[in-house]
Amino acid sequence: MSTDRTQPIGLLGVPLEAGTGRRGAAMGPAALRVAGLAERLEALGWSVTDFGDVTQQPLDSVAPLTFPGKAHVPEVVASWVRPLARDARRLCDEGYLPVFMGGDHSLSMGSLAGVASHWQERGRPLHVLWLDAHADFNTPSISPSGNLHGMSLALTAGEEELFPVMADAPRATVDPSRMCVFGARSIDPKERDLLRRRGVTVCDMRQIDENGVSILMRDFLKKIKMENGVLHVSLDVDFLDPGIAPGVGTTVPGGATYREAHLVMELLEDAGVTVSLDIVELNPFLDERGRSAIALAELVASLFGQDVMDRPTQAFA
């Protein structure tokens, strides 16, 4: 992240809800705009351009996709994430720090494909911080539901079963050892085994309860600094406890508190390694008077430098 705030931020909406089992997430980008996301960032001194919403590829141009096991409407998901990958790559190439406003978590198949291809070409290792109650590391052959929002991190990690989703769109994988699922509290049994085999770091809520946010986050950020790496952050609404942010279709009790979530964002801002961000699974239809959208906008503002008091920059090397 550009600590002097000279890098422009590019907002891009992704009104995608086909990756989940219920409707409403397509309204997420509009809700984040109403919550004043752009205005909050501009008030912090950032230059912000809202590029509107990604344009869905015509469905009749997507060849039928088949997978082993379950995959719900993969052609519809593909029709969104393929053009998103191209837009994500373009925004990175043009020097923007892209913020992808969702939309369900399957959008990360496209956002990360484009972002990863950009940084691969530049020789910088990309790391992923997955702030989520779920690991989203299922594949069609092991998924209980077949919903693609539960498979997005697996595709990014290079699970070949899922490669047909992206077809010829820009694509680069991320080494699973450079991934951290943070805040998990609901992982399927076969998904857990796959995470272990691939070497993904999982910091579940018990570890957070026992060790605190600061220790776990600093360990992860030190690794990124040591590798001269960069970071993509993927923020799912259900990372937060549903008492704070009820506007999500996959609520799991016992999530991050308001202060824990803001501390994560403040530590990320201190580290200065974030180069792209997803905001996903906001479902305004399930929200209460905009609480979840406002909470997310406030969290993103913390990531981009909104502090109560000036603090000395922390060393992570």
Side-chain angles (χ1 to χ4, degrees), residues 12-217:
L12 184 63
V14 190
L16 163 62
E17 60 187 16
T20 183
R22 61 192 307 169
R23 300 181 65 180
M27 299 184 288
L32 289 167
R33 291 181 173 111
V34 172
L37 179 59
E39 291 83 357
R40 292 171 190 267
L41 299 179
E42 288 171 339
L44 294 169
W46 293 88
S47 172
V48 180
T49 301
D50 189 338
F51 289 94
D53 292 346
V54 66
T55 301
Q56 182 184 15
Q57 179 180 342
L59 261 179
D60 58 9
S61 69
V62 179
L65 300 174
T66 57
F67 301 90
K70 297 179 181 178
H72 182 60
V73 293
E75 295 85 3
V76 180
V77 173
S79 72
W80 285 100
V81 298
R82 291 175 185 177
L84 175 58
R86 297 183 183 95
D87 286 347
R89 174 63 192 257
R90 175 180 54 80
L91 286 173
C92 290
D93 289 349
E94 292 177 358
Y96 288 94
L97 194 161
V99 175
F100 305 100
M101 304 180 294
D104 73 63
H105 220 154
S106 64
L107 74 83
S108 297
M109 293 179 170
S111 62
L112 266 164
V115 169
S117 68
H118 169 87
W119 289 105
Q120 182 183 72
E121 187 173 286
R122 280 149 185 77
R124 299 282 300 277
L126 180 67
H127 297 245
V128 176
L129 179 63
W130 205 258
L131 300 170
D132 200 324
H134 310 86
D136 298 337
F137 214 81
N138 275 301
T139 62
S141 61
I142 65 172
S143 172
S145 70
N147 291 328
L148 266 70
H149 72 162
M151 307 184 199
S152 40
L153 191 59
L155 173 58
T156 300
E159 293 300 319
E160 293 185 6
E161 273 184 48
L162 290 159
F163 281 2
V165 174
M166 298 309 299
D168 60 350
R171 184 176 69 222
T173 58
V174 175
D175 190 323
S177 69
R178 295 190 173 115
M179 296 177 166
C180 178
V181 178
F182 199 86
R185 50 199 191 275
S186 178
I187 298 177
D188 299 314
K190 291 181 180 179
E191 181 185 24
R192 185 185 305 120
D193 293 341
L194 186 58
L195 286 160
R196 286 173 176 159
R197 293 202 308 271
R198 299 298 186 252
V200 177
T201 297
V202 179
C203 297
D204 61 20
M205 285 308 299
R206 174 171 176 169
Q207 291 172 271
I208 293 172
D209 289 343
E210 290 183 346
N211 299 287
V213 164
S214 181
I215 290 174
L216 297 172
M217 282 293 299

